[in-house]
Amino acid sequence: SPTQQPTLAPTPGPTLVPTQMPTPAPTLMPTSTPILQPTPAPTPALGMLGTVIQSGDAICLRAYTGKYVGVRAGQVEALVTSPGDAQRFVLEAPRPTAGDIHSGDIVFLRASSTGSRITVQGSSHATVPAAIPDSVHAYWDHMGSWEALVVRKAGSSSSVKAEEDSSAMVVRDGDEVKFIGHTGNPLAVEDDVVSAHGGLPDGQQSFAIELCGDAVALASRRRRRRVRQAALEPVM
């Protein structure tokens, strides 16, 4: 009988092991740099700014020496470190300026003790009593051109008020100011004597303007009234 061929069983294929996919690396998002906001300037607290000087206020003027300007027998000098009645002046402004005093305003300084006003001696005519031109005295109660003074805050470059309503131009208690006479020269202190000859260092031409006497109480009431009025104003 014919020989039977052996039946070949199929060779099993290799077992395929599932291949693991690599875990994707986490995507790093760029870190945003924080934007630094500028720190706002602090709002001045109530009381940090000096009280506004107004026409009619009683003031004292402290010179660079620490002494206060005063009137003695018509002479204007800076002799004492503690102000009294002889060192008190009423600051007067002509209409329509009267009210808050601004840098660039025309003012008059009336001595409380005598009623006379500070005068820069001119040269247009002789006077009685006689005085040297550009000298400063308080012989009369006049309110003429010789007595008119332009008040100028330290750092202000113009004798004319530049910004009528700017708070930066308002003269306040404690400000450093100059007083410019009709000759164009500022009042200055030399050897305790006030004059307007010109040519002296800037420091000798500056005065600290201070409320004094009853003006301090008046200014305090005025400030409280303004605070109350501000509290009543509607917020826009």
Side-chain angles (χ1 to χ4, degrees):
S1 64
T3 304
Q4 293 181 347
Q5 297 293 326
T7 303
L8 298 177
T11 303
T15 303
L16 298 179
V17 178
T19 303
Q20 294 183 347
M21 299 298 291
T23 303
T27 302
L28 298 178
M29 300 298 293
T31 304
S32 60
T33 304
I35 300 175
L36 299 178
Q37 297 293 330
T39 303
T43 302
L46 180 64
M48 290 181 64
L49 294 176
T51 301
V52 174
I53 302 291
Q54 292 189 331
S55 178
D57 281 344
I59 62 164
C60 294
L61 299 174
R62 179 164 45 83
Y64 78 102
T65 58
K67 299 177 181 179
Y68 287 85
V69 175
V71 174
R72 185 181 62 165
Q75 301 299 308
V76 183
E77 304 164 313
L79 298 175
V80 300
T81 55
S82 296
D85 190 52
Q87 287 72 44
R88 187 175 298 121
F89 297 89
V90 176
L91 189 149
E92 303 169 308
R95 298 289 180 182
T97 308
D100 293 351
I101 300 299
H102 294 74
S103 183
D105 280 347
I106 295 175
V107 298
F108 299 87
L109 296 175
R110 175 166 52 86
S112 295
S113 58
T114 64
S116 56
R117 293 180 176 84
I118 285 185
T119 302
V120 176
Q121 181 73 18
S123 58
S124 59
H125 58 272
T127 60
V128 178
I132 300 171
D134 293 329
S135 63
V136 174
H137 56 77
Y139 293 143
W140 315 303
D141 61 357
H142 303 169
M143 291 185 74
S145 60
W146 289 10
E147 290 75 37
L149 301 167
V150 175
V151 61
R152 184 182 300 170
K153 288 182 65 170
S156 175
S157 60
S158 174
S159 61
V160 179
K161 186 165 51 178
E163 299 177 45
E164 187 83 23
D165 298 322
S166 172
S167 61
M169 302 293 284
V170 174
V171 177
R172 298 177 181 273
D173 179 26
D175 280 349
E176 292 285 331
V177 297
K178 294 182 179 181
F179 292 95
I180 315 299
H182 65 99
T183 61
N185 293 333
L187 304 189
V189 174
E190 185 177 23
D191 297 330
D192 293 338
V193 176
V194 179
S195 68
H197 296 296
L200 292 176
D202 190 70
Q204 292 178 234
Q205 303 170 4
S206 297
F207 301 88
I209 186 169
E210 302 174 357
L211 288 167
C212 59
D214 294 338
V216 176
L218 174 63
S220 179
R221 292 195 299 271
R222 195 161 63 212
R223 176 182 289 183
R224 290 197 298 271
R225 184 168 64 249
R226 287 184 175 180
V227 170
R228 289 196 298 268
Q229 290 174 345
L232 295 175
E233 291 179 357
V235 179
M236 302 301 292

